[in-house]
Amino acid sequence: MMRRPRATTAKAVKYTDSDVSFSQTVSSDDEDNEEWRPLEPKPKDTAAGQKKRSVKPKEPKAPKQTKAPKQPKAPKVPKDAKPRAPRKPAAKAQAAKVLQDSGAPGLAGTKRKRKDDKAGEDKGGKQTEEEMAEESGPSTRMKEERVSFIVSDAHQTDRWAGEGSSLAGLKPKKEEVEEDFTFDMPCVKKQKTTGACMRQPTALPSSQAQALRNELDMSWDLIELLSTLTCVERWVCVNIIKLLREENTVPFMVRYRKEMINHMDADAVRDVQLVYEELRTLAKKTQSVVQTMKKDGVLTPELEQNLRSCRSADELDHVYSPYKKGSKLTKARRAKALGLEVAASALMDAPHTLDLNAFVKSGTEGLSSVKEVATGVEHILADMIAKDPETLTHVKTLCENNFVTIQSSVSKSALKEKGKGKSGQSGQSVQGHSKPGAHQNKSKDLDKFQLYSEFTCNVQRIQPHQTLAINRGESLKILTVKMNIPDRVKSDFTRWCINNRWKPRTFAREEHHVIIRNAVEDSFKRLILPFLTRSYRTKLTSAAEKESIAMFVRNLRQRLLMCPVRGCVIMGVDPGFRHGCKLAVLSPTGQILHTDVVYLHTGNSNQQREADKLRHLMMKYGCTRVVIGNGTACRETESFFADLISRRYCHPLDVSYCITNEAGASIYSVSPEAVKEMPDLDPNLRSAVSIGRRVQDPMAELVKIDPKHIGIGTYQHDVSAGALKAALDSVVQECVSFVGVDINICSETLMRHVAGLNAGRAKSIAEWREQNGPFTNREQLKLVKGMGPKTYQQCAGFIRINPQTSTRSSPHHVPAVPEKTAAKKDKGKTGVNVPTSFNPLDQTCIHPESYHVAQRFLSIVGGSADQIGSAGLRQCVESKVKSSNVEELAKTVDTTPETLKLIIDGLTQPPGFDIRQNFGQADFKRGIVSMSDLRVGAVLTGRVDNTALFGAFVDIGVGRAGLIHKNNITMDKLPVSQRRRSLALGPGERVEVRVQNLDLQRGRIGLDLIRVLQ
């Protein structure tokens, strides 16, 4: 029974010649057990067909017919094999398009991968298309989950400055696993290359390329590796690197350099930027390691080549770890110090000449007997095997073709503490007070990880939240985690090493074969197995962190882009019991009209008096909207206001209320920004102001708070703090920039998040505004201290100058300009001649660098800048675009179609257009429902409050958020525009749900998604 597995393992060796990158994620195709069973005779034909397919694209390059002997097999195989597209070179592009449109996972990067691997095929290491799909699959899958928010069809051409591609015609994945909520769609960034794209450079300018090579000094090509890891076209990677090295921001690239980045969205560009920075960091670390090893005198040319070939920090650490200072001398280095490296080389190259007795030296430790000499040779060979790239590639391939599982169980220390807590609880409860509490907390922690006390899962099926939960349990010393690699991997690996890679070149005696076998087994157990364990844990953690951070990004974007509630007076309420409910009445523009404290929950005698006070405030200021924070006493406060509304206590005012997330309000109330903004207010009252403003203008208020305190996402303490902060800061910059800010009324805090600006430049702009009055045009930004040409280029398009706010205090503004200009002239800065008149184009999203193009386009359509946003100009533009398409008009005005589309959007959008008006708004209500009123099967509407890696929490107005498990979020329940996302729902979205199950004791509500309301 043992012979068949061995035979099939020998067949599996065909797959080991592929050049698998160590940094590549484990394939995420969720197959059944049949995927890992021994190969049947049938797949031989398929493999042969795939071999032929990988060779077929060479036919246009090889007209000499040098491979004629291999061609007779070609006509037979395609008849049985399904894929026939590669038979003709002309049909190659069409076949690639069909594969991409059908949503085939992992095939988005196959075309480029074939080109990259031609050299490898010439050497005999042929890769089948199936292997290439497996390699590109994980990276494609990781990137296709990225989200870009989308505005309504009325402004489809803007679509957040055009990022993202059309989602029409998407089809669900054919094979779907129960617990996988990722929808297999074509890779977002791997888009079809148009004719314009073909004219783009595929390499950096020679000077920049040479500078980059000198900076990195690695053996791999940065652009090629970046293109492979991110599944992005090579020419796009070249342009992104060029733009990043020129200090361009992501929002600027996404909006004003679309043609250079192939219309990628902000998340996709950030992914490329992140991988680019990781590779640069790896190169710097490699340089440091090389210099350190040179000083220590242990660097050899071969070792340096291995170091400079590393493609991940994990590989680099594996090669460098034996030579680190402070680490004990490895067994291999001790054996080399004894001079046994010559014996190891002779054993592999000329074993018939090897005499181990010649190395025996009595009295020398490690050489006193033949057995010790053989052991030293084994250690050297084991080290060579563990550091051989081909060997590591083969063992990783074997692991991918077998069931590698991760297992967690309760640690011994946690079990001991649990036992002590149970046995000593009765005795300690009388003497001490802190120890029983500590044991109770430990018991609670154990209960939290009950799901993972006996947990085993395939590494290809484990979900990101499960990985993070296991990591947290391990860090708390509650769980013990280990990787289970099947014994079959060890037996197949040992057989391959002995019979292929590490087989002696000439005849070897039996004792020499024993040494080699022992070296292979020792290498696998002592060196390779720990490396594989570290590699899998690193990959799983990295993938889980990326998905968790992506969830944070999506949630934060949804929260920032909530539609503002304008044009009404709002009362913000920070609920509380003993200390009362803090009130803040805000004007339609967010100004504080009144603050107070009412005690609604201290007894029936006070309630009537407090109700009268509330009615007086509402009647005095005309307040019709009440915003209640979702903290302590929220339900009781909501019940009080619902009772007043039901009794029409504030008649004739039509009062309604809503519940909002108050996470971070208390932290903000004591921050320096809050003290500076509201110096005379008590911190508790500042919280009420913040709660009210979160509904009036969510983005302007939430940017004042550290994103990690807003209460979005999960496992924020289990991911890299630096990566999370960078991602959240970038999405805040993206949202603020794309929405745009009115430079004359926005706060300094909001201004510092505009692309190109920072805290110092925002402060300088605010000071200039205070001294000279409001800005009348964008050109005046050049007069601000610290505003150089690059900064102006990055921020100018995202800053608005509205006519309503640019005329205040204008008499003070005009005489101050020449004075400031003179100061600029004294400093030797350019741009002295700055106009002071208002430019209508400054209120649009059109960048100043394109103003001359916009003027030419206006002259063609017969309009003027004063008509921006009017119905007449919109009609003229639409008729002109219908008569001659955008491409022809772009040639006429000497610009790109992408720039012209942006100009058309800027000219036709109404004045004061805000992309947030197409997103959800806070839900105001007048009644209340309790959890006891719910019944299984009841259909309700609610709003998504937060999303996690395992589902979405929905506020259905009963004081407890219900959970829609990710298994219930299926593609047929989603709008087409949301099917690309991994979980497809974000905070603020309105949904229709059905109550699936109720657990009143634990306060849990299970929901099923019916549809997303739009």
Side-chain angles (χ1 to χ4, degrees):
M1 295 299 292
M2 293 299 294
R3 290 184 179 180
R4 180 168 178 172
R6 289 180 180 176
T8 55
T9 305
K11 296 174 187 175
V13 173
K14 296 178 183 178
Y15 296 92
T16 63
D17 293 331
S18 58
D19 185 16
V20 181
S21 172
F22 295 133
S23 62
Q24 210 156 8
T25 313
V26 179
S27 174
S28 56
D29 291 338
D30 297 317
E31 300 288 349
D32 293 330
N33 296 353
E34 286 80 0
E35 180 183 351
W36 310 109
R37 289 178 181 172
L39 298 174
E40 299 296 333
K42 187 177 179 181
K44 289 183 180 179
D45 297 335
T46 307
Q50 288 171 338
K51 271 188 179 180
K52 186 194 78 60
R53 289 176 62 194
S54 63
V55 176
K56 220 25 172 163
K58 292 185 177 181
E59 289 181 2
K61 272 191 165 182
K64 296 183 180 179
Q65 302 291 334
T66 54
K67 297 187 179 181
K70 294 186 179 180
Q71 293 300 325
K73 295 182 181 179
K76 298 180 181 179
V77 180
K79 292 181 180 179
D80 298 329
K82 290 183 180 180
R84 299 185 180 182
R87 286 177 63 89
K88 295 181 181 181
K92 197 192 306 179
Q94 185 178 0
K97 182 177 185 301
V98 171
L99 287 172
Q100 187 174 3
D101 292 342
S102 64
L107 292 179
T110 303
K111 184 176 179 182
R112 186 194 68 248
K113 192 76 177 175
R114 282 182 187 165
K115 296 179 181 178
D116 299 344
D117 291 340
K118 282 183 179 178
E121 291 176 357
D122 294 337
K123 293 178 182 178
K126 299 179 182 178
Q127 267 188 313
T128 64
E129 191 163 309
E130 183 179 284
E131 291 174 279
M132 290 188 276
E134 287 181 3
E135 290 187 18
S136 63
S139 58
T140 305
R141 180 190 181 97
M142 183 63 67
K143 308 307 173 194
E144 71 194 7
E145 298 173 1
R146 300 305 182 225
V147 190
S148 180
F149 34 80
I150 299 173
V151 299
S152 68
D153 295 335
H155 304 286
Q156 197 79 1
T157 54
D158 185 53
R159 192 183 288 258
W160 266 80
E163 64 267 36
S165 57
S166 175
L167 300 176
L170 295 181
K171 296 181 180 179
K173 181 180 173 182
K174 290 182 180 178
E175 270 184 85
E176 190 138 7
V177 183
E178 289 183 9
E179 294 190 345
D180 194 356
F181 57 76
T182 301
F183 304 125
D184 254 337
M185 293 299 160
C187 183
V188 177
K189 300 176 294 303
K190 182 74 174 179
Q191 302 195 12
K192 184 179 177 181
T193 304
T194 60
C197 300
M198 297 300 292
R199 293 194 294 270
Q200 295 288 346
T202 57
L204 288 171
S206 57
S207 59
Q208 293 187 19
Q210 186 60 41
L212 193 58
R213 279 194 296 269
N214 295 338
E215 178 186 342
L216 300 178
D217 196 15
M218 300 294 283
S219 60
W220 34 259
D221 178 57
L222 173 66
I223 297 173
E224 192 62 41
L225 182 58
L226 185 64
S227 176
T228 303
L229 295 177
T230 59
C231 189
V232 175
E233 302 269 2
R234 180 185 174 93
W235 67 269
V236 180
C237 290
V238 169
N239 287 337
I240 291 177
I241 292 176
K242 182 180 177 182
L243 291 168
L244 289 174
R245 291 177 71 85
E246 292 173 356
E247 300 180 355
N248 291 284
T249 60
V250 172
F252 177 80
M253 288 190 281
V254 170
R255 173 167 285 185
Y256 300 112
R257 296 293 183 266
K258 299 176 192 176
E259 67 279 358
M260 294 184 67
I261 62 173
N262 203 17
H263 299 82
M264 288 168 60
D265 61 23
D267 285 334
V269 177
R270 268 195 300 271
D271 288 336
V272 178
Q273 181 186 18
L274 182 62
V275 176
Y276 170 63
E277 291 173 353
E278 287 177 353
L279 293 176
R280 290 184 62 190
T281 303
L282 174 65
K284 290 179 181 178
K285 187 176 180 181
T286 304
Q287 300 293 344
S288 176
V289 168
V290 169
Q291 294 299 324
T292 302
M293 296 182 70
K294 275 184 180 178
K295 290 180 181 178
D296 296 342
V298 295
L299 186 67
T300 63
E302 294 79 13
L303 186 56
E304 183 177 2
Q305 179 62 29
N306 289 338
L307 289 170
R308 297 193 185 279
S309 300
C310 293
R311 299 188 173 195
S312 69
D314 197 29
E315 287 184 55
L316 181 64
D317 184 67
H318 180 66
V319 177
Y320 175 53
S321 56
Y323 304 94
K324 286 182 179 178
K325 284 185 178 180
S327 60
K328 59 182 181 181
L329 203 61
T330 61
K331 294 179 177 180
R333 291 180 65 185
R334 283 199 295 266
K336 290 179 181 178
L338 294 173
L340 294 179
E341 191 171 7
V342 178
S345 300
L347 178 60
M348 300 308 301
D349 297 333
H352 62 283
T353 64
L354 177 64
D355 182 11
L356 296 180
N357 292 311
F359 294 90
V360 177
K361 293 181 181 179
S362 58
T364 303
E365 186 180 357
L367 299 176
S368 58
S369 64
V370 175
K371 184 177 180 181
E372 289 186 357
V373 171
T375 302
V377 173
E378 289 174 5
H379 291 160
I380 294 175
L381 282 178
D383 184 69
M384 294 168 59
I385 292 170
K387 289 185 173 62
D388 179 54
E390 185 178 343
T391 302
L392 293 178
T393 300
H394 180 75
V395 74
K396 288 170 75 70
T397 305
L398 289 177
C399 290
E400 289 176 2
N401 293 334
N402 285 274
F403 279 113
V404 178
T405 60
I406 183 172
Q407 179 180 345
S408 66
S409 57
V410 181
S411 64
K412 294 181 179 178
S413 61
L415 289 174
K416 285 181 181 178
E417 291 185 12
K418 186 177 181 181
K420 289 180 182 178
K422 287 183 178 179
S423 61
Q425 188 173 3
S426 58
Q428 291 176 350
S429 60
V430 179
Q431 301 175 6
H433 300 284
S434 60
K435 289 184 179 179
H439 285 303
Q440 288 176 4
N441 292 336
K442 195 70 176 179
S443 178
K444 288 181 181 179
D445 289 339
L446 284 171
D447 293 339
K448 289 179 183 178
F449 294 97
Q450 185 177 3
L451 288 173
Y452 303 99
S453 59
E454 295 295 335
F455 177 82
T456 302
C457 185
N458 188 343
V459 293
Q460 294 183 345
R461 289 176 176 265
I462 190 168
Q463 299 299 310
H465 68 274
Q466 294 173 330
T467 300
L468 295 175
I470 289 173
N471 290 350
R472 180 186 291 182
E474 187 180 32
S475 64
L476 295 174
K477 298 183 180 179
I478 294 175
L479 298 178
T480 298
V481 186
K482 67 176 182 177
M483 300 296 303
N484 294 324
I485 296 177
D487 294 336
R488 177 181 172 184
V489 173
K490 178 182 177 181
S491 59
D492 292 350
F493 173 76
T494 303
R495 188 182 308 110
W496 178 82
C497 288
I498 294 173
N499 298 331
N500 293 278
R501 177 64 177 162
W502 298 96
K503 182 179 180 181
R505 295 186 179 181
T506 60
F507 174 76
R509 295 189 294 275
E510 181 61 28
E511 57 268 24
H512 295 161
H513 282 294
V514 171
I515 292 175
I516 295 174
R517 173 176 288 276
N518 291 340
V520 171
E521 292 179 351
D522 178 55
S523 177
F524 183 84
K525 180 180 179 181
R526 183 169 56 87
L527 301 173
I528 294 179
L529 203 56
F531 168 72
L532 290 174
T533 300
R534 291 193 307 270
S535 178
Y536 273 116
R537 291 296 302 277
T538 302
K539 288 177 186 175
L540 291 176
T541 301
S542 176
E545 285 187 356
K546 286 181 179 178
E547 184 57 36
S548 180
I549 291 173
M551 183 71 67
F552 271 96
V553 167
R554 289 192 288 269
N555 290 351
L556 179 60
R557 181 184 288 123
Q558 290 288 125
R559 192 67 62 82
L560 291 175
L561 293 176
M562 290 268 310
C563 183
V565 177
R566 303 191 186 278
C568 62
V569 178
I570 283 182
M571 176 183 288
V573 181
D574 185 6
F577 286 115
R578 289 182 57 190
H579 300 288
C581 298
K582 280 69 68 178
L583 307 178
V585 182
L586 307 175
S587 70
T589 58
Q591 300 299 317
I592 303 173
L593 301 178
H594 181 81
T595 57
D596 210 332
V597 179
V598 292
Y599 298 88
L600 307 180
H601 315 300
T602 57
N604 295 330
S605 59
N606 295 331
Q607 284 191 350
Q608 185 60 42
R609 185 177 70 251
E610 301 302 323
D612 292 339
K613 183 190 290 187
L614 287 173
R615 180 173 61 180
H616 171 71
L617 291 175
M618 289 183 176
M619 298 296 290
K620 179 179 178 181
Y621 296 104
C623 179
T624 58
R625 297 286 186 269
V626 180
V627 181
I628 305 171
N630 65 345
T632 306
C634 169
R635 290 294 292 172
E636 291 76 10
T637 306
E638 180 187 9
S639 177
F640 184 86
F641 277 96
D643 180 63
L644 294 183
I645 294 171
S646 63
R647 292 192 286 125
R648 299 176 61 84
Y649 196 72
C650 300
H651 185 76
L653 294 178
D654 184 16
V655 180
S656 59
Y657 70 91
C658 75
I659 309 295
T660 191
N661 193 330
E662 67 173 27
S666 58
I667 296 176
Y668 165 71
S669 64
V670 294
S671 65
E673 289 83 359
V675 174
K676 182 180 178 180
E677 185 180 1
M678 298 171 280
D680 301 327
L681 278 186
D682 181 83
N684 294 319
L685 295 174
R686 292 177 193 153
S687 298
V689 174
S690 177
I691 289 172
R693 287 177 175 172
R694 288 183 182 206
V695 174
Q696 271 193 328
D697 193 343
M699 188 178 72
E701 188 63 26
L702 292 177
V703 295
K704 303 175 184 177
I705 304 167
D706 192 337
K708 65 184 180 184
H709 295 147
I710 299 178
I712 52 174
T714 53
Y715 297 100
Q716 73 178 45
H717 300 294
D718 298 284
V719 301
S720 169
L724 179 62
K725 186 179 186 306
L728 296 182
D729 289 346
S730 63
V731 80
V732 171
Q733 182 190 66
E734 170 193 340
C735 292
V736 173
S737 299
F738 288 159
V739 170
V741 297
D742 188 333
I743 196 67
N744 289 319
I745 61 173
C746 74
S747 65
E748 182 182 326
T749 306
L750 183 63
M751 203 187 309
R752 69 179 60 159
H753 293 288
V754 176
L757 300 183
N758 53 27
R761 290 165 186 157
K763 184 178 180 181
S764 298
I765 292 175
E767 290 175 352
W768 195 97
R769 189 173 60 188
E770 290 176 4
Q771 295 173 6
N772 303 284
F775 291 85
T776 56
N777 55 55
R778 286 172 173 169
E779 288 290 319
Q780 288 183 331
L781 289 169
K782 297 178 180 179
L783 303 175
V784 177
K785 178 183 176 182
M787 186 69 68
K790 194 66 184 180
T791 303
Y792 177 78
Q793 179 198 39
Q794 298 301 307
C795 72
F798 306 116
I799 287 176
R800 305 285 186 270
I801 309 288
N802 292 320
Q804 296 84 2
T805 59
S806 63
T807 55
R808 293 180 304 147
S809 306
S810 55
H812 302 285
H813 174 59
V814 179
V817 175
E819 188 177 339
K820 190 72 179 180
T821 304
K824 281 279 181 176
K825 190 172 182 181
D826 293 339
K827 293 182 181 180
K829 301 216 174 178
T830 58
V832 177
N833 298 323
V834 174
T836 59
S837 58
F838 173 74
N839 188 342
L841 293 174
D842 288 341
Q843 59 184 321
T844 68
C845 60
I846 304 172
H847 197 278
E849 67 184 10
S850 303
Y851 280 0
H852 63 286
V853 179
Q855 294 290 355
R856 283 202 295 267
F857 180 74
L858 283 171
S859 63
I860 290 176
V861 300
S864 64
D866 296 330
Q867 298 176 301
I868 288 177
S870 64
L873 181 61
R874 189 182 302 113
Q875 187 176 2
C876 293
V877 170
E878 289 175 356
S879 61
K880 189 66 178 178
V881 171
K882 286 180 181 178
S883 61
S884 53
N885 58 39
V886 176
E887 286 74 15
E888 294 178 358
L889 289 173
K891 292 179 181 178
T892 305
V893 296
D894 191 21
T895 189
T896 62
E898 292 79 8
T899 302
L900 184 58
K901 289 177 183 177
L902 188 63
I903 291 173
I904 292 173
D905 289 340
L907 296 177
T908 56
Q909 287 169 353
F913 171 74
D914 191 339
I915 61 172
R916 293 176 294 174
Q917 68 192 27
N918 299 291
F919 290 82
Q921 197 177 55
D923 283 328
F924 287 89
K925 53 187 177 180
R926 295 173 177 81
I928 186 172
V929 179
S930 64
M931 189 171 173
S932 59
D933 296 330
L934 294 179
R935 296 291 180 270
V936 175
V939 177
L940 306 166
T941 59
R943 189 174 293 278
V944 178
D945 183 54
N946 194 11
T947 55
L949 296 172
F950 48 82
F953 292 96
V954 180
D955 181 10
I956 54 176
V958 297
R960 278 280 187 176
L963 174 65
I964 307 177
H965 195 269
K966 56 186 174 61
N967 290 345
N968 295 326
I969 305 175
T970 56
M971 293 188 62
D972 57 316
K973 302 175 183 178
L974 301 171
V976 176
S977 61
Q978 293 178 233
R979 292 181 181 177
R980 182 194 293 154
R981 295 190 253 175
S982 60
L983 194 56
L985 294 176
E989 295 193 72
R990 295 185 66 244
V991 291
E992 186 177 18
V993 295
R994 180 183 290 107
V995 179
Q996 213 171 34
N997 53 71
L998 289 169
D999 188 345
L1000 297 178
Q1001 185 176 359
R1002 294 197 294 176
R1004 294 187 176 181
I1005 307 169
L1007 302 174
D1008 181 23
L1009 177 66
I1010 298 177
R1011 63 192 177 101
V1012 179
L1013 302 175
Q1014 292 183 317

